[in-house]
Amino acid sequence: MLTALRRSLASKSWLVDLPLIALAWWAAFWLRFNLGLPHPYFEHAVQTTSIALSCMALGLALARVPRQSWRYVSLSDLRQLAGGVALGAVLTTAVVMGLRIEGFPRSVFLISAPLVLVLLAGARAAWRTLVEQAHTRAQAQPGAAPPQPLLIVGTLEEADQALRTLKGVAGWRVAGVVSPHTPDQGRTLQGVHVLGAPDELARIAAAHHVGTVLLASAPGAPLRREIMLRWAGAGLNLLTLPTADELLRPGAAPAPREVRLEDLLGRAPVQLDDAGLSALLRGQTVLVTGAGGSIGAELCRQVARFGPARLVCVDVSEYATYALEQDLRRSHPALPAAYYTASVREPDRLRALMRAHRPGVVLHAAAYKHVPLMEAHNEIEALRTNVLGTLHAARAAGEAGAARFVLVSTDKAVNPTSVMGASKRLAEQVVQAVALEHPGTQVVSVRFGNVLGSSGSVVPLFRAQIEQGGPVTVTHPEIVRYFMTIPEAAQLVLQAGLMGRSGQIFVLDMGEPVKIADLARLLIRLSGKAEQDVPIAFTGLRPGEKLYEELLADDETTEPTPHPKLRVAKVPGAAADAAVVITAWIDSLGAAPGAAAVREGLRRRVPEYRPQPGES
């Protein structure tokens, strides 16, 4: 405390504050006596000025007021200033009254304190105003590009935050605010007028010759989604402010950026238990299957941040493994890593890898995920990779003494209508059985929906179709899907792996579903084209495809966890012999079973499986 006090007393702000405190003290006397100061009270003022200065300075120093930055003074700084003035006033009153000066006017104490607060606060506000005006003039120097006008769309609270952010960003001039709240119309905010409502956006933009709109609405707000779907690529340039996790990246700046596809989701940044994940992963060997896929590769990148002793990457694709190796070598050159082209369908190979590296954590992302492809001609491949491959990986992890095994599952395992979905539900059952076989390994599953931009998702397909001039093919006008970004999915998988107990199935908070047709329209507009140039064609639901996805089966409920985006599904546990029974059935199917045999077996083993009418 003494160090802080010495630093406060050494502040250069005293060069302004002390004269203002003395001025306020004398002004209190003058006001008390109607701008005249009779002789006895003049002596009182002279006698006590040094006391007032010392006591007020001590009060301000104890409140750490001199350490404030005048350039960025805020309401919280003014509250701190008021506390320091109040403390100084109390000290001044106590000392002067202790001197028992005869006839001293006590009302001076009551008058001087507000005067000190007004003068000191005014000095700080004036300094901030002058600096900001100087900054604005510097931007407007001859030769400098004139600032571009923009409109801010959002509530007054959201617009206020955006205005504060834009004050430190060159090149922009706020022409007005567009608020969804009717009572806000006609008001001003930081000197900027509220010009109207969002449904008047086109008129307001034209009237003020503005072509850029900054979306200040919170992630996930209906207003943000409405403006994006209506105006992206439709004559207005849409910007948004960087999210919190974007600002944490090296070299990030608070400058507005163009809206991106993931902004449609409005996903708030994931709050990770970094300390817990660091304790789980740092110094550990971590093995990731399906490491070359979209989720697997992101899992590898996320794990690399926590300093594992070794990262073992396993994928059946040679090119995907090579691409991942090059990526990790660039981003984490000191990372100890091993890369294997191996299939999870080969149990002996998996056991050899696990024995060689003895991983403490195994993240199993290897799977076939494409619903229509697995629905016709490839049913047995889905079973052998998604079910037996999962069983082999989980058992090998348990036999090698891994502390944790995490299965990346899917919402398509819920009330499945596809072979792929039913195979992932069986995968959840076999890992629950492995949890009983290897109680020393914490075995958990994590369900989530579609991942925006992952390989095999609609986004790469739509982009390719747009480049070719269309049409963009959507199966149904009302089909909806849950989406999350690749980093968010990977982070939540890690978080679930940290907190899960063996046999649990985690369900991720997927937010609000998105219409695939809306996604297609936004992609078309973000590419700089119009729907007249790139039409959307509705082709009908494909084999095994639902109109909407679910995260829970009809007889399932969830329980909360300490993490707001993770819940535990209350599902029946698997029988102890489930893995043996399921393996025997898949082996009995042979090399080329008929689709009917596969589906009939799935009906018996996954009671909630309901293939679409017409499928045999």
Side-chain angles (χ1 to χ4, degrees), residues 66 89 110 147-148 244 249 305 314 339 355 384 397 402 414 417 419 431 530 581 588 612 614:
L110 299 176
Q148 298 183 48
R249 296 171 188 167
R305 296 191 304 117
V314 180
Y339 303 89
R355 283 196 301 266
R384 288 176 177 160
V414 182
T417 59
V419 170
V431 297
V581 172
S588 72
Q612 290 182 337

Side-chain angles (χ1 to χ4, degrees), residues 58-102:
L58 181 59
L60 296 175
L62 291 174
R64 300 188 176 184
V65 170
R67 300 178 67 179
Q68 294 175 349
S69 169
W70 287 28
R71 168 65 179 85
Y72 301 103
V73 67
S74 63
L75 287 176
S76 61
D77 292 323
L78 296 182
R79 285 192 292 268
Q80 185 182 14
L81 175 64
V85 170
L87 180 58
V90 170
L91 292 173
T92 302
T93 302
V95 172
V96 172
M97 293 301 294
L99 294 177
R100 299 183 181 277
I101 300 175
E102 183 178 352

Side-chain angles (χ1 to χ4, degrees), residues 342-404:
S343 171
V344 295
R345 290 164 60 161
E346 300 175 4
D348 292 339
R349 174 69 163 154
L350 280 180
R351 289 192 184 96
L353 292 179
M354 299 279 189
R355 283 196 301 266
H357 292 285
R358 298 290 176 182
V361 178
V362 176
L363 306 172
H364 181 60
Y368 284 138
K369 305 180 181 71
H370 196 277
V371 170
L373 199 60
M374 295 298 107
E375 200 66 17
H377 312 304
N378 297 298
E379 299 91 344
I380 189 63
E381 304 301 324
L383 295 180
R384 288 176 177 160
T385 296
N386 293 356
V387 184
L388 295 186
T390 298
L391 177 60
H392 300 331
R395 278 181 169 165
E399 292 167 6
R404 293 183 181 270

Side-chain angles (χ1 to χ4, degrees), residues 104 222 252 285 303 604:
F104 189 88
T285 295
V303 168
R604 293 199 300 269

Side-chain angles (χ1 to χ4, degrees), residues 80-166:
Q80 185 182 14
L81 175 64
V85 170
L87 180 58
V90 170
L91 292 173
T92 302
T93 302
V95 172
V96 172
M97 293 301 294
L99 294 177
R100 299 183 181 277
I101 300 175
E102 183 178 352
F104 189 88
R106 299 180 182 181
S107 56
V108 168
F109 301 128
L110 299 176
I111 299 172
S112 64
L115 289 176
V116 171
L117 180 59
V118 168
L119 290 174
L120 298 192
R124 285 154 174 77
W127 179 258
R128 174 166 181 170
T129 301
L130 289 172
V131 170
E132 289 181 350
Q133 289 178 348
H135 180 68
T136 302
R137 285 194 297 271
Q139 293 179 355
Q141 289 296 327
Q148 298 183 48
L150 61 76
L151 295 171
I152 295 178
V153 177
T155 64
L156 289 188
E157 181 179 358
E158 294 161 346
D160 178 71
Q161 184 60 45
L163 284 166
R164 293 178 188 278
T165 302
L166 289 173

